[in-house]
Amino acid sequence: MQFVLKDLLIDTEARTVCRGNQLLELPDLSFDVLVKLIERAPSPIDVETLSDTVWRNVHVSDETIAQRIALLRKVLGDSPKAPVYVRTVRGAGYCVAGKVRRDDGASIKRSISKIFEGRRAASGLIACGVLVAAWLGLEPRVFEPDEQLTTIASADDQATLLVQRAREQLRLHQAEETDRAIVMLRDALERAPDRAEARLALSVALSTKATKFRGESREEAEAEALARGLTREIPSNSNAWSALGYSLSSQGRTHEALAAYRQALDLDPKNVSALSSAAYLLLSKGDLQQALVLEVRAKNHGGASRYAEIQIAQVLELIDHPAALKWQDRALTMNPQQAVVLSEIARSKLRRGNPKAALQTLAQYEGRDGSAPLLLVLEARALLALGHSDDARDLLSRAGWRGHFDLAAIFALEGYTQYAESTFSLEKRADLASDPDPRLRIQLAEVSAALGDENEAIDLVSQAVSLGWRDVLWLQQSPFLQDLMATERGRQIERRIAREVAAQRRLIEATEEFDLLLKG
């Protein structure tokens, strides 16, 4: 549905706000607030209603809402003293400043004229162009920023420019920008098929899409093929081996990925990407001491890892060290609005039995990839802990395969066992035997427990611990494993994890890197 507020065109389906031929970049929460104000117009909406409808029944303070209104005004170019779009109504909340009408199509047609008259290739027109095409029933056309390319005669130089632009898009760590980078890199390879840096960047982009957004198996395979080709052609290139490790990790092939990262580090011990990525895999395998050592080395080499601080915080939290909170705060300071950082902090709140705090953390995210499976699954688990199973099911269904196991466990608890039982097909059991990821065992254990098979659930959790699972609080707070962990066999597993964690803590406290960490 489209609305017009003065010179703004708001499309609630495309989730875009355009002023003429300019796309305004509104974070998700700001857009939701604007839509609620428009839907309530001309009446004001109070802060309690905003909290209930925009923040999904999670209590947020009046100050948080006031800050969100301030952010909305900033993007719109509005002023609280002389409001053009949003005004404060004393004692009643907030209201749009002006008449709202549903769009009859004329505004969109005028936007078409402006866009096609200028035929400018500014990236801000892309979303508006897609919006226009969707309204007309046309095939969406993305206007590539090719004006500068046409002035460059050499195909090789054109490819260089496209790779540079793609890398800029990838640094934003957003779903839409990652897709855009992939398009640019494919274009670069059409112009210069043998360009190694384009193939390397495309491999990384495809693996990023697979791990953080909604990648497909064919894209994972393509990322691996590109990286393997580069390691054969340029075996001394550390970054090619790092890209291969990334592609293997995205497919859950942890042992192979670690081998590739080790090769990358043999070639370049200061390869920050390989250091941090290998640290993540070691963390998942329960080798907390080595994970911490590699992450500290990455930081000491001056690398710009987005995940170093939050992964250090994870290690410290698992060994129950008070410095974990300091590193969480540092992660937020150095990488604000980063999806992985916020999701890990939300996970920390969940494992400590505070689902409301987890939801408040997730609500801080302002990126356009708010529907990333990583975020949806955590939000669903928080809502489930608060008793909102319908909302949790909806989020998990939107999360694709990443939400499959939690969704199956919920259905099993509610008596719909067929879907849950399908997760234990013979094919999946065969895959399980060769999969070293302990997280998969925990997910399957949750489904087994929900189905009432306590023996299989305990066996799967035990396998996970053998493969490196070290998070006892997550097991204790799991809505599917709580009862199981309260049994004697569950307590035996807890004691086993405690021994493993204590051993890792002793190793960590004896390392030079740990002393440097605390001093820093």
Side-chain angles (χ1 to χ4, degrees), residues 291-360:
L292 191 68
V293 166
L294 292 185
E295 211 61 86
V296 172
R297 287 178 185 173
K299 287 188 64 61
N300 289 343
H301 289 319
S305 170
R306 284 178 174 263
Y307 310 127
E309 289 77 21
I310 196 62
Q311 287 181 188
I312 289 171
Q314 285 177 269
V315 172
L316 294 175
E317 185 173 18
L318 286 174
I319 65 171
D320 198 27
H321 196 283
L325 290 176
K326 180 184 77 173
W327 282 91
Q328 284 186 5
D329 292 341
R330 188 172 294 186
L332 276 175
T333 300
M334 298 189 68
N335 290 291
Q337 298 306 318
Q338 215 289 322
V340 172
V341 171
L342 288 173
S343 68
E344 289 304 331
I345 293 175
R347 185 186 298 275
S348 172
K349 308 294 186 187
L350 276 177
R351 66 192 293 275
R352 294 187 178 280
N354 197 341
K356 289 185 177 180
L359 288 174
Q360 289 175 329

Side-chain angles (χ1 to χ4, degrees), residues 5 34 37-38 41-43 84-87 94-100:
L5 172 61
L34 177 60
L37 292 172
I38 287 171
S43 302
V84 176
Y85 302 107
V86 180
R87 62 189 179 90
Y94 302 94
C95 182
V96 293
K99 184 177 180 180
V100 175

Side-chain angles (χ1 to χ4, degrees), residues 373 377 395-397 399-408 419 443:
V377 170
L395 290 171
L396 292 168
S397 64
W401 66 267
R402 293 180 189 273
H404 170 69
F405 293 105
D406 284 352
L407 193 59
Y419 180 69
Q443 290 174 316

Side-chain angles (χ1 to χ4, degrees), residues 37 44-48 50 65 69 73 86-95:
L37 292 172
I45 184 169
D46 59 75
V47 292
E48 289 82 6
L50 274 175
I65 293 175
I69 293 291
R73 283 172 170 154
V86 180
R87 62 189 179 90
T88 302
V89 182
R90 188 178 297 277
Y94 302 94
C95 182

